[in-house]
């Protein structure tokens, strides 16, 4: 299948898309179930009325913080689904078994990424990785990834290794195909910079100065999902959360945030590196391992590698 939207024109819903794409039946049911769970998380965000921390509902009952309740919604939807053996989430300290033990898939989640933006009404999101083995090891185990954005619209981008595709939730509650086989240009026009400038390394600063001299426009919301989504939908650009002087591994988490996004970005023709190595080639040693990241279209990521390798060649200024 190359381009089903040409054949079927206006309306292709998520289930139909995955079926025509020939995605394995359990995997497509799982992706569907997670996409539907996005609707419940979105309902929870609405119910919270922009309060991130615990609050009282209309019955005067204490409510969980939004990120915790999003985690519980995901967990309860996936538990005994028949597809998921284990579940790992940014909200939990360890991997938990949620199936009977004979299921095929292992799911990782950042249930509510960017949750501190809730009160500002900026977009936030959910990031999911689907692995085929218990050892969560990037390229060796990831079979699918997806993210959902909760913004003016709810959108969802998924890949099961056959391109990255965007869907928009319509008023009838259906995920309708809006962008099939997202394909980044070789080079984009936007840059998104995490980390305080006075904590950047010299190599990183020089790279940013290069981007600025080239006229890149700054786009940074403080939410990883919408910032990555912007690069996907505008078909190019770069997001960085680099190695900092006070935190050599940057901020973002490999298993929950970076590897799923790297999977989606590669499937869209982009790249993701930690400055030197592909994000998907890193085998995480712990669940909450962090990594610096440079993710986006090929030109900017290759350029980042050049700048970050510069001081390595000169004898090394900092250690990733
Ligand atoms: O999950 C961590 C996160 O909130 C990301 O969504 C976002 O990209 C990043 O942190 C923002 O970090 P900072 O507040 O340092 O810019
Ligand atoms: Mn996050």
């Amino acid at each position: 299948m190359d381009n089903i939207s040409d054949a079927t024109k206006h309306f292709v819903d998520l289930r139909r898309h995955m079926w025509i794409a020939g995605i394995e039946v359990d995997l497509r049911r799982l992706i569907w179930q997670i996409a539907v769970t996005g609707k419940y998380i979105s309902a929870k965000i609405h119910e919270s009325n922009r309060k991130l921390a615990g609050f009282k509902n209309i019955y005067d009952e204490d409510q969980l913080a939004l990120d915790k309740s999003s985690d519980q919604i995901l967990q309860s939807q996936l538990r005994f689904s028949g597809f998921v053996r284990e579940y790992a989430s940014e909200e939990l300290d360890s991997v938990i078994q949620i199936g009977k033990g004979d299921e095929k898939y292992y799911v990782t989640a950042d249930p509510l990424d960017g949750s501190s933006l809730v009160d500002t009404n900026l977009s936030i999101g959910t990031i999911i990785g689907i692995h085929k083995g218990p050892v969560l090891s990037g390229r060796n185990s990831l079979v699918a990834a997806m993210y959902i954005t909760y913004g003016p619209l709810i959108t969802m981008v998924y890949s099961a290794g056959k391109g990255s595709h965007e869907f928009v939730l319509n008023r009838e509650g259906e995920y309708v195909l809006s962008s099939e086989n997202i394909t980044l240009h070789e080079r984009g026009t936007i840059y998104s910079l995490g980390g305080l400038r006075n904590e950047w390394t010299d190599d990183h600063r020089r790279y940013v100065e290069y981007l600025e001299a080239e006229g890149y426009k700054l786009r940074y919301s403080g939410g990883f999902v919408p910032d990555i989504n912007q690069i996907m939908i505008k078909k190019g650009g770069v997001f960085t959360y680099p190695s900092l002087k006070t935190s050599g591994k940057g901020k973002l988490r490999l298993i929950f945030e970076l590897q799923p996004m790297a999977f989606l970005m590669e499937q869209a023709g982009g790249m993701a590196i930690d400055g030197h190595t592909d994000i998907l080639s890193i085998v995480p040693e712990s669940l909450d391992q962090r990594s610096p990241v440079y993710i986006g279209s090929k030109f900017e990521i290759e350029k980042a590698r050049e700048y970050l390798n510069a001081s390595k060649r000169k004898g090394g200024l900092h250690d990733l």
Side-chain angles (χ1 to χ4, degrees):
M1 184 214 62
D2 282 325
N3 210 331
I4 62 168
S5 48
D6 284 349
T8 47
K9 280 285 181 267
H10 305 297
F11 186 93
V12 179
D13 93 326
L14 174 60
R15 272 186 294 192
R16 182 146 174 234
H17 186 266
M18 292 192 288
W19 180 71
I20 297 174
I23 294 162
E24 193 262 327
V25 59
D26 285 356
L27 185 55
R28 60 180 205 251
R29 286 185 178 150
L30 175 56
I31 291 171
W32 170 253
Q33 190 168 13
I34 295 169
V36 169
T37 305
K39 298 193 224 176
Y40 306 149
I41 295 177
S42 159
K44 198 77 192 174
I45 297 167
H46 280 250
E47 185 192 308
S48 82
N49 196 15
R50 302 193 302 156
K51 292 185 187 67
L52 170 65
F55 64 100
K56 290 200 187 296
N57 68 11
I58 52 168
Y59 309 106
D60 210 31
E61 293 160 346
D62 286 331
Q63 300 288 288
L64 279 180
L66 252 191
D67 24 25
K68 288 261 181 299
S69 48
S70 303
D71 182 62
Q72 293 200 343
I73 292 170
L74 256 174
Q75 255 190 64
S76 65
Q77 289 298 310
L78 297 179
R79 189 176 289 278
F80 309 120
S81 64
F83 313 121
V84 186
R85 195 179 308 185
E86 289 177 4
Y87 174 78
S89 148
E90 265 203 25
E91 298 300 321
L92 304 171
D93 297 334
S94 56
V95 179
I96 56 168
Q97 180 164 333
I98 59 167
K100 292 199 303 278
D102 55 1
E103 297 82 357
K104 248 186 262 176
Y105 296 112
Y106 301 74
V107 169
T108 69
D110 182 353
L112 202 60
D113 173 73
S115 53
S116 63
L117 298 174
V118 167
D119 55 356
T120 66
N121 202 27
L122 281 166
S123 293
I124 49 183
T126 296
I127 309 171
I128 299 288
I130 302 175
H131 296 253
K132 64 172 190 263
V135 181
L136 309 172
S137 63
R139 216 184 283 292
N140 302 326
S141 61
L142 259 180
V143 290
M146 55 200 289
Y147 65 78
I148 301 168
T149 61
Y150 311 104
L153 296 172
I154 294 180
T155 65
M156 191 277 294
V157 172
Y158 92 93
S159 176
K162 296 182 177 191
S164 289
H165 316 284
E166 186 205 34
F167 294 75
V168 179
L169 191 69
N170 69 12
R171 290 169 70 128
E172 283 74 42
E174 300 153 315
Y175 281 98
V176 181
L177 182 62
S178 45
S179 217
E180 187 175 37
N181 282 321
I182 300 170
T183 309
L184 300 191
H185 303 308
E186 184 68 19
R187 165 173 197 171
T189 56
I190 56 177
Y191 70 145
S192 197
L193 306 173
L196 294 181
R197 190 171 279 260
N198 61 10
E199 293 200 14
W200 290 349
T201 62
D202 290 342
D203 291 340
H204 182 74
R205 183 181 44 76
R206 279 191 278 267
Y207 171 60
V208 172
E209 283 165 4
Y210 165 81
L211 295 173
E212 285 166 350
E214 291 286 305
Y216 280 74
K217 279 193 197 165
L218 182 61
R219 293 284 185 271
Y220 187 78
S221 74
F224 190 46
V225 174
D227 285 342
I228 290 298
N229 192 50
Q230 185 158 206
I231 292 173
M232 288 286 224
I233 300 306
K234 301 293 185 194
K235 298 194 166 67
V238 55
F239 174 99
T240 75
Y241 210 112
S243 172
L244 300 173
K245 288 174 185 161
T246 50
S247 154
K249 296 275 185 189
K251 177 178 187 190
L252 300 180
R253 289 178 173 83
L254 260 178
I255 289 180
F256 302 113
E257 297 171 310
L258 298 182
Q259 292 194 326
M261 287 305 198
F263 187 91
L264 290 159
M265 197 59 88
E266 283 194 6
Q267 286 289 322
M271 289 176 70
I273 63 173
D274 67 357
H276 310 282
T277 307
D278 285 352
I279 289 291
L280 286 174
S281 302
I282 302 171
V283 178
E285 286 163 11
S286 66
L287 216 48
D288 63 349
Q289 188 170 326
R290 294 165 199 260
S291 168
V293 66
Y294 295 76
I295 178 169
S297 38
K298 281 186 175 152
F299 175 85
E300 291 83 354
I301 307 308
E302 290 295 5
K303 194 54 90 178
R305 206 194 312 258
E306 269 173 44
Y307 274 85
L308 292 161
N309 279 336
S311 61
K312 233 185 164 189
R313 283 197 296 273
K314 281 186 261 150
L317 286 178
H318 67 277
D319 191 13
L320 285 181

